[in-house]
Amino acid sequence: MSNLFTSKNPAGVAVGQTAAIFGVLAGGAVNAHMSGLQAMRQARESNNSNVLRYQLNVAIDRAQQLYDVAVEQASEIEALKAENTRLRAASATYLAAARRRVAA
């Protein structure tokens, strides 16, 4: 590239040098912009990952609560079945005794 002061076309040399400077600056600006976009995407993905991890933990906790309720309900059902069997036997005994009294 020729020197601005020794060239026969100093305006052209100035335009060329200015264009080269602005080209480098624009390239740097584009590179910085793209780096910023990439950092923004990574931050968004990281945030989304944290949100999904939180939602998964909430779902796991809820599933554990429902499991605990189901186990408790199953135990209560078994106890009620046993009590129902006991009451049927007692009812049959009382019914038999009542029929004997009526028959006698």
Side-chain angles (χ1 to χ4, degrees):
M1 185 179 260
S2 26
N3 188 339
L4 179 66
F5 301 108
T6 60
S7 172
K8 291 183 181 181
N9 183 7
V13 171
V15 167
Q17 289 177 349
T18 304
I21 290 170
F22 279 120
V24 169
L25 290 176
V30 167
N31 188 24
H33 178 69
M34 297 307 285
S35 296
L37 288 177
Q38 182 63 28
M40 181 187 68
R41 285 187 191 109
Q42 287 176 348
R44 184 181 303 141
E45 288 174 6
S46 176
N47 186 44
N48 289 343
S49 176
N50 289 336
V51 168
L52 289 175
R53 186 176 301 117
Y54 171 76
Q55 290 173 342
L56 177 62
N57 287 337
V58 168
I60 288 170
D61 289 343
R62 183 64 179 147
Q64 183 63 45
Q65 291 171 357
L66 291 175
Y67 173 78
D68 293 343
V69 168
V71 168
E72 184 180 313
Q73 293 295 317
S75 300
E76 187 174 342
I77 288 171
E78 289 302 317
L80 289 173
K81 283 181 180 179
E83 184 177 358
N84 191 18
T85 302
R86 183 187 63 79
L87 290 173
R88 282 180 189 259
S91 173
T93 303
Y94 292 136
L95 180 62
R99 286 188 177 154
R100 280 193 302 269
R101 285 187 188 157
V102 170

